[in-house]
């Protein structure tokens, strides 16, 4: 078992959920449904392709200052 990240965004009528650590993607009618579907997809993926602990990426954030054109 492990803890993974879900990035969720709306795309037209559906919500899309992505797991950046593994690369799995799923969708649902609500954010909760999208994450539940992503969890299932990720579990199935990891059964076939287990992660090597030392190869897990990390996630961070950064800011970008918009350039104002004169």
């Amino acid at each position: 078992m492990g803890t993974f990240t879900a990035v969720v965004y709306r795309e037209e009528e559906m919500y899309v959920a992505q797991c950046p650590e593994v690369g799995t993607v799923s969708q649902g009618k609500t954010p909760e449904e999208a994450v539940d579907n992503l969890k299932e997809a990720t579990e199935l993926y990891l059964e076939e392709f287990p992660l090597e602990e030392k190869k897990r990426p990390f996630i961070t954030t950064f800011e970008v200052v918009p350039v104002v054109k004169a």
Side-chain angles (χ1 to χ4, degrees):
M1 179 170 11
T3 301
F4 296 92
T5 306
V7 177
V8 182
Y9 58 92
R10 189 174 179 98
E11 192 170 274
E12 296 183 16
E13 299 295 319
M14 301 293 282
Y15 287 89
V16 177
Q18 298 178 320
C19 177
E21 294 95 341
V22 179
T24 50
V25 179
S26 196
Q27 63 183 12
K29 293 180 182 178
T30 65
E32 296 80 12
E33 182 180 9
V35 172
D36 286 343
N37 292 340
L38 178 64
K39 180 181 176 185
E40 182 179 353
T42 302
E43 288 170 345
L44 292 171
Y45 177 85
L46 291 174
E47 284 179 12
E48 189 69 27
F49 305 102
L51 284 182
E52 293 181 30
E53 190 62 35
K54 61 185 174 186
K55 291 189 176 183
R56 274 190 80 166
F58 68 92
I59 296 177
T60 187
T61 61
F62 61 96
E63 292 184 22
V64 175
V65 178
V67 176
V68 179
K69 295 183 180 182

